[in-house]
Amino acid sequence: MLYQRLDGLREQASKRLTEQLLATGGTLQARSQRDGTVRMYADQVEQFSAVENGLCFGRLDTDGGDRHYIGRIGIFDTDGDYEPLLMDWRAPAARAFYLATAANPQGIRRRRHLRTRQRKVVGVNDEVLDLATASPSGHEELTGEASLLAALDAGRTGRMRDIVETIQVEQDRIIRADLPGVLVVQGGPGTGKTAVALHRAAYLLYTHRRELSTRGVLLVGPNVTFLRYISQVLPALAETGVLLRTQGDLFPGVSARRAEPATTAALKGRSVMVEVLANAVRDRQRTPDEPLEIGLPQRETLVLDPETVAAARDRARRSGRPHNLARAVFDVELVHALGNQIAERIGADPLGGENLLDEADLAEIRRELREEPQVRATLDELWPVLTPQRLLADLYASADRITAAAPMLTVEERAALHRGPGGWTPADVPLLDEAAELLGEDDRAAAARRDRIRALQREYAEGVLEIARGSRSIDVEDEADGGEILGVTDLLDADRLLERHEEADRLTTAQRAAADRSWAFGHVIVDEAQELSPMAWRLLMRRCPSRSMTIVGDVAQTGALAGTPSWAEALAPYVADRWRLTELTVSYRTPAEIMEVAAGVLAEIDPALRPPRAVRSGGFPPQERAVPARRLAADLVEIAAAEAGALADGRLGVIVPAGRVDDLGTALTSALPEAAVGEQPDLGSRVVVLTVAEAKGLEFDSVIVVDPERIVAESPRGRSDLYVALTRATQRLTTLTPARVDQEVLDTSVRPDQAS
């Protein structure tokens, strides 16, 4: 019945939208009112379309006999008495759906979970919150256990789904935590860190809409594949204003995808690079070793001696301005020095008195000098205006510049920075951002250009209004009441018309934030935050001066050499000890059998660390299989084909060493048409081949981990990457190990699938 009512409301909204779009006549004022109404009904249609994905997922029956339906958004019946049809899951009154237990029912008699496929209800689970009737076999820490387990056992689709129906108590506390300050969410594999981060974004936008809708929310993920994986979660929760970015996309105009050695990336991530870049900028503020001659047409040659240039340089540095903005001070000093040379030659009193040129004459000489190409070229050589890209590219391309900027680095480290032209790497992006801070941007020319464009637009708007006035030769009297029909010139002047045009072209908050390096976000969420280097932390802190952040990660899964060893060490330079730590302790995704295997690896990483507690058993003991090394590719194909066939509608992830992606990926895609491999594989494929770095944050029904020993050997952090690989599965895990040579000799005739 509820879905029938929602369908009816959706049809009404669609009908009203169509009517408003067709109503193109009337005065300008009427059309303006129509535009606002169109936007309102268009928003309603978009919200109601979520019914296709199961808009309502629960019901609360109170002790007083009331019933409240819980949904992804809030909907009211506007045709009646504004009756609430759906209560938004983020509303305070809906929190009992997630927190009520038999021991603390919070005024709730029964909680109903609805499972839907499109608009069809496919399952109903009721929980009677009465201690006398509570199931003795249930887990006290779980709410909606049947629905939770059904969601966990369902096949993966290649896209992350929201967990709004099955949010658990410890997750709910984090999602609804206060906005201000830095909140760190530490959690092991399968604890729902990413889901919590996404639902927290939706909750904060609902609760603090006015503040965050104008400043925006930034969510940073580890790679592009991960962002594609989570891309549908927030839209399914009716939130489309969050900007999703990787570290490589945080500098406007740069998409950093180039690969580089882990040691080089780690070097670029160290805080010493702040000093290196500052030195690189100062190195471009040069003074000549010898007097510099400037030949001007129709004038005698002028000379800049090193002392004059050094004095101008020091004066510009003392201004405290960034490099590009301090250039103006440098220019003034040198142009004045050159102007004085000319004044001494042409204005000298033959009788030895004072110079015959006055201040107006000197100003004219300086103006002419600034326009001389030779003078401009000299100034550009001594103090060039630089972009961050040019500064960094020039630094990398010159061994001499690296030596001058980085004397504190070893010879090997300086050699690692030296490279030819090419694309940017993710580790370069924080350096570009740091360079932008050091260089500054002289936007006076851009501001002048904007003013000229606006003046032309205003002139055009005045012309449009003038034409409108000329076309209105007489007043038209309304026969009914003798009133006058207002025309466009009665309602608008040129400035208002221009403002309306600008409003129509206005970008969304996320679009404006993406294009503005200096944008200050209202809140920043970082997933897999343990991978951030010190330089990356500097970048993100600049993006969020208010320090309103949600940091999500697991230090046991740190894979990058420059990654975060501890949250306290990463955050101390920015917020000291003024941050909050919360932990997710329950693993919902990873079955107990797989978690037991992963726990052994975790103990080798750090005996003090404890794995999360699994809430379910998958029923499939992990398989360890040894195969002849020379047959690794062939046997992997057979095992992957069998494993994919055993999955009804799920997904198989094959995690391989980075050095074997090409040959093993080619073997699998050649034999299995449904397999996908590459930098950004199609996660909707039945079989996906990935490295550990690409698999971070993802999950699959079944996982094959190929050559665990090589994964450990390749990992900058040793066994941390293996820990990540082993915990990607929701049901089944197989490890495939190449046998040593002596083992192959003893057992070359027995295939792994033929062994008894």
Side-chain angles (χ1 to χ4, degrees):
M1 180 65 69
L2 174 65
Y3 277 104
Q4 292 176 357
R5 294 186 68 185
L6 292 177
D7 280 341
L9 286 175
R10 180 173 59 173
E11 291 173 1
Q12 292 175 24
S14 298
K15 181 179 179 181
R16 292 168 182 165
L17 175 60
T18 302
E19 292 173 350
Q20 290 294 329
L21 289 173
L22 293 175
T24 57
T27 66
L28 184 64
Q29 185 176 20
R31 289 197 296 274
S32 177
Q33 293 173 349
R34 184 212 68 201
D35 290 343
T37 307
V38 167
R39 285 192 295 270
M40 180 185 71
Y41 286 128
D43 290 343
Q44 286 187 6
V45 172
E46 184 178 0
Q47 288 184 335
F48 286 130
S49 66
V51 174
E52 301 293 340
N53 299 317
L55 190 59
C56 174
F57 57 80
R59 193 184 80 188
L60 291 175
D61 296 351
T62 69
D63 291 337
D66 295 327
R67 288 181 174 179
H68 303 293
Y69 286 95
I70 312 299
R72 286 175 168 79
I73 59 173
I75 294 181
F76 296 85
D77 188 351
T78 56
D79 279 352
D81 56 356
Y82 218 62
E83 173 193 358
L85 297 179
L86 275 184
M87 183 184 298
D88 194 300
W89 68 274
R90 298 165 289 188
R95 197 173 187 188
F97 186 80
Y98 302 106
L99 301 184
T101 64
N104 180 20
Q106 301 192 20
I108 304 302
R109 178 174 57 85
R110 178 171 60 183
R111 174 172 47 217
R112 169 167 290 181
H113 293 264
L114 304 173
R115 298 200 306 277
T116 61
R117 184 175 296 115
Q118 295 182 350
R119 295 200 309 269
K120 182 179 180 181
V121 178
V122 297
V124 177
N125 298 107
D126 281 349
E127 294 177 277
V128 179
L129 303 182
D130 184 347
L131 281 174
T133 61
S135 171
S137 62
H139 295 82
E140 293 183 1
E141 74 276 10
L142 300 182
T143 59
E145 182 175 349
S147 294
L148 173 64
L149 296 179
L152 294 174
D153 291 335
R156 308 298 101 176
T157 65
R159 288 288 184 271
M160 187 178 184
R161 293 173 293 201
D162 65 70
I163 62 165
V164 66
E165 304 100 320
T166 58
I167 293 172
Q168 299 301 299
V169 174
E170 70 171 5
Q171 296 173 330
D172 183 81
R173 291 195 184 103
I174 296 171
I175 290 170
R176 298 175 192 263
D178 293 339
L179 172 67
V182 176
L183 176 68
V184 175
V185 184
Q186 164 71 35
T191 54
K193 299 185 297 296
T194 298
V196 166
L198 293 167
H199 288 69
R200 177 161 170 76
Y203 171 78
L204 292 177
L205 282 166
Y206 174 86
T207 308
H208 305 276
R209 178 77 63 186
R210 178 175 299 178
E211 177 180 355
L212 296 182
S213 63
T214 56
R215 296 172 60 191
V217 174
L218 170 66
L219 191 150
V220 181
N223 54 59
V224 175
T225 301
F226 173 83
L227 293 186
R228 286 172 39 234
Y229 175 65
I230 68 171
S231 61
Q232 297 303 312
V233 175
L234 286 169
L237 299 175
E239 296 295 348
T240 58
V242 177
L243 181 64
L244 306 182
R245 284 291 184 268
T246 67
Q247 176 181 308
D249 299 317
L250 286 175
F251 193 88
V254 170
S255 182
R257 299 288 182 267
R258 179 174 175 171
E260 66 183 340
T263 52
T264 303
L267 171 61
K268 293 177 179 178
R270 287 164 47 189
S271 2
V272 70
M273 293 303 295
V274 175
E275 184 180 354
V276 171
L277 291 174
N279 289 342
V281 172
R282 292 174 68 89
D283 187 50
R284 304 302 292 270
Q285 301 163 357
R286 56 180 297 267
T287 58
D289 297 327
E290 301 291 338
L292 196 61
E293 295 184 349
I294 305 176
L296 300 180
Q298 301 177 353
R299 291 184 186 274
E300 295 183 21
T301 298
L302 303 180
V303 178
L304 281 177
D305 57 78
E307 293 76 15
T308 300
V309 177
R313 181 198 62 188
D314 294 343
R315 178 74 177 271
R317 287 177 176 176
R318 287 196 302 270
S319 71
R321 301 177 185 178
H323 171 87
N324 289 336
L325 301 183
R327 161 70 184 262
V329 178
F330 183 77
D331 287 1
V332 167
E333 292 295 313
L334 289 191
V335 168
H336 277 224
L338 294 173
N340 290 340
Q341 288 185 35
I342 296 175
E344 289 173 2
R345 295 175 185 176
I346 68 174
D349 186 349
L351 301 179
E354 295 184 0
N355 197 294
L356 300 178
L357 300 179
D358 59 18
E359 188 58 37
D361 296 325
L362 289 174
E364 180 63 21
I365 291 173
R366 294 163 187 160
R367 185 191 65 77
E368 292 178 355
L369 281 173
R370 288 190 180 93
E371 296 176 356
E372 288 288 353
Q374 294 86 344
V375 173
R376 295 166 65 92
T378 300
L379 296 175
D380 288 339
E381 180 183 354
L382 297 174
W383 192 295
V385 174
L386 299 168
T387 65
Q389 292 92 324
R390 180 183 169 190
L391 175 73
L392 210 56
D394 288 351
L395 176 66
Y396 290 158
S398 170
D400 291 340
R401 282 199 170 112
I402 294 175
T403 300
M408 74 291 293
L409 300 183
T410 66
V411 173
E412 293 76 14
E413 289 172 336
R414 292 198 293 268
L417 292 178
H418 187 35
R419 78 173 196 204
W424 299 107
T425 72
D428 288 328
V429 169
L431 303 187
L432 289 169
D433 199 70
E434 189 74 28
E437 291 291 308
L438 294 169
L439 295 173
E441 182 181 359
D442 188 350
D443 59 356
R444 288 175 297 179
R449 185 167 58 253
R450 288 194 299 269
D451 290 342
R452 289 195 300 271
I453 292 174
R454 183 172 179 84
L456 291 173
Q457 290 174 334
R458 191 179 191 284
E459 182 180 346
Y460 178 80
E462 289 175 344
V464 170
L465 293 176
E466 188 62 32
I467 294 173
R469 292 189 192 96
S471 63
R472 189 176 172 216
S473 57
I474 58 171
D475 289 336
V476 180
E477 301 294 331
D478 187 283
E479 294 181 359
D481 56 10
E484 181 179 301
I485 296 179
L486 298 177
V488 63
T489 56
D490 299 305
L491 298 173
L492 287 179
D493 58 16
D495 290 328
R496 180 57 184 156
L497 180 60
L498 192 55
E499 288 175 8
R500 288 177 58 84
H501 176 73
E502 291 174 346
E503 288 172 1
D505 293 339
R506 186 173 296 161
L507 299 175
T508 66
T509 298
Q511 289 170 328
R512 287 185 286 124
D516 186 352
R517 190 198 66 83
S518 60
W519 188 273
F521 288 91
H523 195 77
V524 171
I525 298 174
V526 189
D527 203 350
E528 302 290 345
Q530 74 276 358
E531 303 301 329
L532 294 183
S533 69
M535 292 302 296
W537 281 112
R538 286 177 64 88
L539 181 156
L540 287 177
M541 291 299 173
R542 277 194 288 269
R543 296 292 190 275
C544 193
S546 66
R547 302 294 190 261
S548 177
M549 307 177 79
T550 301
I551 308 301
V552 179
D554 179 13
V555 291
Q557 298 184 59
T558 303
L561 273 178
T564 300
S566 75
W567 301 121
E569 183 176 330
L571 297 173
Y574 310 102
V575 293
D577 58 354
R578 300 184 304 277
W579 54 279
R580 300 165 285 162
L581 175 65
T582 60
E583 293 192 62
L584 293 169
T585 61
V586 178
S587 178
Y588 306 98
R589 175 184 70 215
T590 310
E593 299 90 337
I594 297 177
M595 188 57 70
E596 184 178 353
V597 174
V601 177
L602 181 63
E604 296 181 49
I605 297 172
D606 185 347
L609 297 175
R610 293 289 178 266
R613 178 169 46 88
V615 300
R616 66 189 178 105
S617 171
F620 301 101
Q623 301 294 310
E624 297 182 27
R625 309 186 71 166
V627 302
R630 70 180 188 280
R631 285 191 49 82
L632 179 61
D635 287 340
L636 173 60
V637 168
E638 292 186 15
I639 295 170
E643 194 66 23
L647 298 174
D649 58 355
R651 300 293 182 272
L652 169 65
V654 181
I655 302 179
V656 302
R660 301 215 59 179
V661 170
D662 292 338
D663 65 313
L664 296 180
T666 300
L668 282 168
T669 53
S670 298
L672 304 175
E674 65 269 35
V677 68
E679 185 178 344
Q680 298 179 29
D682 180 5
L683 296 178
S685 302
R686 288 291 306 280
V687 180
V688 183
V689 184
L690 311 106
T691 65
V692 177
E694 294 167 341
K696 278 186 178 291
L698 307 184
E699 61 183 18
F700 301 90
D701 300 273
S702 179
V703 169
I704 300 174
V705 179
V706 181
D707 201 348
E709 293 182 3
R710 183 163 177 175
I711 287 177
V712 172
E714 288 183 351
S715 170
R717 293 276 187 170
R719 305 189 76 79
S720 294
D721 275 0
L722 180 58
Y723 182 59
V724 172
L726 294 174
T727 53
R728 299 303 97 197
T730 65
Q731 297 182 31
R732 302 158 67 100
L733 172 67
T734 302
T735 55
L736 201 58
T737 304
R740 294 192 301 271
V741 175
D742 55 349
Q743 183 176 347
E744 289 188 39
V745 172
L746 294 174
D747 191 19
T748 57
S749 61
V750 181
R751 297 263 297 281
D753 54 339
Q754 295 172 338
S756 59

